[in-house]
Amino acid sequence: MNGQPSPDIVDQIRDIPLYRTSIENGFFPILEKPETARGFPDNWMTPRLARALEDGAAEFVLSTGTNHARMQIIRPPYFLLKSYYALWSEHPDIAETWHQGCHRVSLTTVLATEHVARVNAKKRGTTPSPAPSMEARRLDGRTVYLNLALDPDLWERPDVERMIAEIRREQDAHPLGRYHLDCSGYHLAHLVRKAVEWDLWDDFPQPASVITAYEYTPANVRHYLERHLRCPVVDLFGSTELGYLYYSDRDGRYHPYLDRMSLELIPVAQGSPVHSLIVTSVRNPYMPLIRYRSGDCVRTLDGSPDPAKVTRFCGREKELLPTPNGLVSHGDLDDRVRDASPRVFLTRLHAPGDDGGPVRLRYTTFDGGPLERAENTALEKLVGELTGLRCETEHRTHIPIGKSGKYAWLATERRM
């Protein structure tokens, strides 16, 4: 398979200026993010799109960046939400909570909460409050956002009590006393930890289903949530510009969800078992992406480039760390952390500076204490073997979150 779009796809994109040269040449190269932005929005403009922008059927938005640049996007309103709802309603393990009308409580970045508050304030012709009410944080009749702080590790007891009370309100609104919890795995783990620490866990309403999305969820975080929450914990993989592409089942196996999409996997380097994700999608009719490099990395069951065999999402391609042992991804580090100790919560790998030296792994634990000597030795050994560099660990009680409200797994001063 050479990844070239089928004739019916070409017919759908024939009027888009960005693709004219590829259509004339009969060949579509891989589409990089900078190319989507060059000449934006004229490079996407068609009579159909112009009409859609005028009548509100299309809108301009920005992707949510972590350590990469934000991307300009044109899409239908609620494009990502509709993709989420469609997947939730069809998922074999949790579709019943959709069809039962469970409310969706979302615990993710404060930027997402602030966006909802801004949109609602604009509709009312008012200015958003710095501490918006619960009603001001409702995305629609089904979804409300909880988080009002950038760093969840800095939530104080009143913050946790408020969120638990708001969750209970949503649970009590359902005739069966059920609700659906949508989250960043990190944020939910922080909430669970603090509820347990402050003897509030008995008041925490148990969800009927949980979806983790928004960012990579480490294995230890997922296992921690599964131990505390007596329901399926499902992971979704997608992006602002594409919608959702994969979902996990309750046992952690990933399945493609390729509505109006096709995928290619290309090794990030010759002989590497880590692959770049190349997507062709006409799901968004106003910005169809042909052979688009999403920037995400995956592993497959057997190392082959078969999208049906994806077993792991490894993080961002731009955040791969070159080491003497080859490129290292967030997922690679996560595997070693999981193998060393289930107590490790947050990690950040600090690569050597220009003066050389070891890699330093800063970590926190779910219980707040440092690792026992044997666990720490195992962690240093496994990370050292992964990178081909001597590893030193540093226990921390706090690792700050990024400006985007997401965690960075890697801090590097130079590229090796």
Side-chain angles (χ1 to χ4, degrees):
M1 177 182 176
N2 62 7
Q4 296 301 302
S6 61
D8 63 307
I9 298 295
V10 174
D11 285 342
Q12 293 180 58
I13 63 172
R14 193 170 296 281
D15 293 338
I16 298 175
L18 177 70
Y19 295 122
R20 282 177 184 158
T21 299
S22 297
I23 292 173
E24 291 171 0
N25 293 339
F27 178 79
F28 288 75
I30 290 176
L31 178 64
E32 308 289 352
K33 287 182 188 288
E35 287 301 312
T36 70
R38 189 169 289 119
F40 187 92
D42 292 343
N43 58 340
W44 294 98
M45 196 58 62
T46 65
R48 179 192 184 197
L49 175 55
R51 291 191 299 269
L53 288 168
E54 186 174 343
D55 64 22
E59 63 181 3
F60 293 104
V61 297
L62 286 172
S63 65
T64 55
T66 306
N67 291 329
H68 54 281
R70 301 180 76 187
M71 178 181 176
Q72 293 178 300
I73 300 165
I74 309 167
R75 68 179 191 184
Y78 301 110
F79 172 73
L80 189 60
L81 179 70
K82 289 178 180 178
S83 175
Y84 181 107
Y85 280 173
L87 216 166
W88 178 15
S89 70
E90 298 169 16
H91 192 284
D93 294 317
I94 62 172
E96 66 170 10
T97 62
W98 165 269
H99 295 293
Q100 288 174 349
C102 289
H103 285 194
R104 172 180 173 236
V105 173
S106 189
L107 182 64
T108 180
T109 67
V110 71
L111 274 70
T113 305
E114 290 172 345
H115 173 73
V116 172
R118 281 196 305 271
V119 169
N120 287 337
K122 184 178 180 180
K123 290 177 182 176
R124 298 190 301 269
T126 61
T127 301
S129 165
S133 68
M134 189 175 180
E135 292 310 308
R137 290 179 268 118
R138 290 195 181 278
L139 177 63
D140 57 16
R142 191 144 193 174
T143 295
V144 65
Y145 285 74
L146 297 182
N147 184 26
L148 294 176
L150 177 65
D151 192 335
D153 200 18
L154 302 182
W155 287 332
E156 297 180 348
R157 187 182 182 104
D159 300 310
V160 174
E161 290 176 336
R162 172 189 60 80
M163 288 186 279
I164 290 176
E166 290 179 350
I167 292 172
R168 189 165 297 284
R169 280 182 58 182
E170 296 303 283
Q171 182 191 46
D172 289 345
H174 191 268
L176 299 177
R178 310 187 87 200
Y179 79 98
H180 171 71
L181 184 51
D182 163 74
C183 67
S184 156
Y186 290 116
H187 283 69
L188 182 54
H190 277 297
L191 184 62
V192 171
R193 288 179 69 238
K194 290 178 180 291
V196 171
E197 180 183 352
W198 293 331
D199 295 324
L200 298 171
W201 184 243
D202 288 344
D203 297 328
F204 192 99
Q206 289 292 316
S209 57
V210 173
I211 280 179
T212 59
Y214 306 102
E215 60 184 317
Y216 182 92
T217 302
N220 281 354
V221 172
R222 178 162 307 284
H223 295 157
Y224 181 81
L225 297 177
E226 289 171 344
R227 287 199 306 270
H228 284 83
L229 304 172
R230 299 184 294 273
C231 68
V233 178
V234 166
D235 187 50
L236 301 188
F237 170 80
S239 66
T240 308
E241 67 271 25
L242 291 166
Y244 292 99
L245 287 73
Y246 281 83
Y247 65 87
S248 75
D249 57 32
R250 65 193 307 158
D251 297 316
R253 293 182 296 264
Y254 282 98
H255 305 269
Y257 186 75
L258 302 180
D259 174 32
R260 289 162 287 172
M261 288 184 174
S262 62
L263 303 180
E264 303 167 64
L265 302 185
I266 298 176
V268 297
Q270 187 173 1
S272 175
V274 177
H275 291 78
S276 297
L277 193 61
I278 310 298
V279 185
T280 290
S281 173
V282 294
R283 186 185 290 178
N284 175 356
Y286 306 120
M287 196 171 174
L289 295 166
I290 309 302
R291 301 199 74 208
Y292 166 71
R293 190 189 301 272
S294 75
D296 301 291
C297 299
V298 303
R299 283 183 180 269
T300 58
L301 182 65
D302 55 4
S304 70
D306 184 350
K309 294 183 178 180
V310 167
T311 58
R312 188 73 176 277
F313 294 91
C314 303
R316 304 288 301 175
E317 187 172 350
K318 283 189 175 180
E319 295 167 15
L320 292 170
L321 176 66
T323 75
N325 284 354
L327 294 172
V328 170
S329 72
H330 188 182
D332 298 328
L333 176 68
D334 186 36
D335 288 342
R336 274 58 177 190
V337 171
R338 175 203 61 202
D339 292 343
S341 173
R343 293 175 55 208
V344 176
F345 178 19
L346 299 171
T347 60
R348 183 163 299 163
L349 188 69
H350 291 253
D354 291 329
D355 57 350
V359 290
R360 289 182 170 85
L361 183 69
R362 294 176 179 170
Y363 72 91
T364 70
T365 58
F366 293 104
D367 57 31
L371 293 177
E372 299 296 333
R373 179 177 295 181
E375 292 176 310
N376 192 68
T377 298
L379 185 57
E380 291 181 341
K381 178 176 181 292
L382 289 168
V383 175
E385 291 173 347
L386 171 67
T387 60
L389 297 164
R390 183 166 60 88
C391 174
E392 295 179 356
T393 59
E394 299 177 11
H395 172 250
R396 297 295 178 98
T397 57
H398 176 68
I399 292 177
I401 205 163
K403 292 185 295 183
S404 67
K406 297 180 181 181
Y407 284 101
W409 78 278
L410 177 67
T412 180
E413 298 175 10
R414 68 179 178 94
R415 306 301 286 181
M416 288 184 287

